[in-house]
Amino acid sequence: MNSHPVRRSVLYITAHYIMTYLGYYGLVSTLVVTLNKAGFSAERIAMLVILFTLTTKAAKIPLAPWLDRMAATKSVLIGCVMAAVGFLLLYSAKDFYLTACALALSGTGISINALASKQLAAATSDMMDNRAKLFSITYIGINIAAAAAAPLALYLAAKGQYQLVLIGIAVSYCVAGVVTFLNFGKLGMKRPGGGAPSFLAYWKLLYVPGIPPFLLINFFCWLLYGQLFNVLALYVSETLAQPGKLGWLYTLNALLVIGLQLLVTHLAHRWSGGKPLGIVRSSYATFALAFIMPFMLPGYTGALAFVLLFTFAEMMFAPSMDVLLLSLIGKESRAVAYSVLSISTALGESLGGGMGVAVYRWMADYGHAGQFWLALAGLSLLCIAVAYVLQESSAGLRAQAAGAV
């Protein structure tokens, strides 16, 4: 990261992440309030929220083969402008169907931008000795946006400035798209190779050595991560009966990432020899220690210790997933690869959170809430064993583990 173009690329992509995620978190934190203010029924609000969530998460999947044949700078511009137009349409929407169209348009734009931003980050990381450093910096940017956007947006919404929030989000996306397009265009990044886009790219990706076991390893990481915003919320708000203190735990999580992510990434890269699989297994072990804390320490102290250790596990595995994926696929079909990775991530986080809540409630009803945390610790240790078996049985992962990335 010594050359001036690389430093500028890191600065540009980080600024892009901050600006777009300021808009994203500002929207999701106020969307229900805004729709309620517009007079929609509870059923229609639920339908609109589901529509927006699905488009932001899934629109990239059918579009990825085409995005792989387009310069990422152009995809970023298209995605950001599309999102901005959707927000402005939402600003003026008065009926249910126009609101649905606005949310679908903005959600699709967000999805395209998310994928294209990953492509730009991956291209920048190609020029760096330590890829994880770049992804750590962008992860910090996302957490800065998360920590700042929701309070500001909710404050404006509380003052009745719902439309001002939407205008601000639209401006944030539009400026981010235009500025990133112009700045990365000056850096002269190469356009992807030609060839007709095809959904066969997904099928071909699954035959890349190491990709199927990698997706399973990623699934387990997010399965464990899914407990943070689900079971922990239930434990603190109901079992400990301290719902007012839950927000402080999530703030602590964001602040730790902002303050310590680069240091943790540097230390993990150093002692692992740059091998992300070793870092991932260490994150599983740290998850296990985190899950033991609520069992060992009573009350809020256990929840606090849980978040501290949990965040360190998160800081280890999150950048490692990007590094490991790029080491397996090289420079081909990155949009498709990140699209598949997002499916694995969404399945792990959603199933982990949903099943965690269901099992926790069931065990709590029988007076075994404490043992639930031991079960999660055991699952984390099992993930270490599974990851090792997957590595040893996969030629792709064995080759990756044999050399530093």
Side-chain angles (χ1 to χ4, degrees), residues 102-178:
L103 288 173
L105 181 63
S106 58
T108 302
I110 290 172
S111 190
I112 292 172
N113 173 68
L115 204 53
S117 300
K118 281 286 190 181
Q119 289 176 282
L120 287 179
T124 301
S125 75
D126 290 338
M127 301 180 285
M128 301 173 65
D129 294 331
N130 182 0
R131 288 181 183 270
K133 187 172 184 179
L134 182 277
F135 295 112
S136 296
I137 292 172
T138 59
Y139 198 55
I140 292 170
I142 292 172
N143 278 271
I144 290 173
L152 177 60
L154 288 169
Y155 171 78
L156 291 173
K159 296 293 184 179
Q161 302 295 326
Y162 305 98
Q163 294 181 326
L164 181 61
V165 172
L166 290 174
I167 293 175
I169 294 169
V171 170
S172 178
Y173 265 91
C174 192
V175 171
V178 172

Side-chain angles (χ1 to χ4, degrees), residues 18-214:
I18 292 175
M19 291 185 69
T20 54
Y21 275 92
L22 277 171
Y24 175 76
Y25 285 118
L27 180 70
V28 296
S29 62
T30 58
L31 180 58
V32 172
V33 178
T34 302
L35 295 175
N36 185 62
K37 182 69 175 178
F40 293 115
S41 65
E43 294 79 7
R44 289 200 162 188
I45 290 175
M47 292 171 63
L48 291 170
V49 170
I50 291 172
L51 172 66
F52 176 73
T53 303
L54 286 176
T55 52
T56 57
K57 302 298 183 185
K60 69 187 74 169
I61 297 171
L63 296 174
W66 279 262
L67 295 177
D68 259 329
R69 296 292 176 262
M70 184 185 298
T73 50
K74 186 179 294 185
S75 298
V76 161
L77 181 62
I78 291 172
C80 286
V81 171
M82 186 182 295
V85 171
F87 296 135
L88 292 177
L89 185 61
L90 185 62
Y91 171 89
S92 59
K94 301 299 181 184
D95 61 78
F96 175 78
Y97 296 103
L98 188 58
T99 300
C101 290
L103 288 173
L105 181 63
S106 58
T108 302
I110 290 172
S111 190
I112 292 172
N113 173 68
L115 204 53
S117 300
K118 281 286 190 181
Q119 289 176 282
L120 287 179
T124 301
S125 75
D126 290 338
M127 301 180 285
M128 301 173 65
D129 294 331
N130 182 0
R131 288 181 183 270
K133 187 172 184 179
L134 182 277
F135 295 112
S136 296
I137 292 172
T138 59
Y139 198 55
I140 292 170
I142 292 172
N143 278 271
I144 290 173
L152 177 60
L154 288 169
Y155 171 78
L156 291 173
K159 296 293 184 179
Q161 302 295 326
Y162 305 98
Q163 294 181 326
L164 181 61
V165 172
L166 290 174
I167 293 175
I169 294 169
V171 170
S172 178
Y173 265 91
C174 192
V175 171
V178 172
V179 170
T180 301
F181 174 78
L182 295 176
N183 284 332
F184 274 94
K186 294 177 183 177
L187 295 174
M189 289 190 170
K190 293 181 180 180
R191 184 187 181 93
S198 170
F199 286 106
L200 288 176
Y202 282 101
W203 187 254
K204 292 177 181 177
L205 179 72
L206 295 178
Y207 277 91
V208 173
I211 286 295
F214 159 75

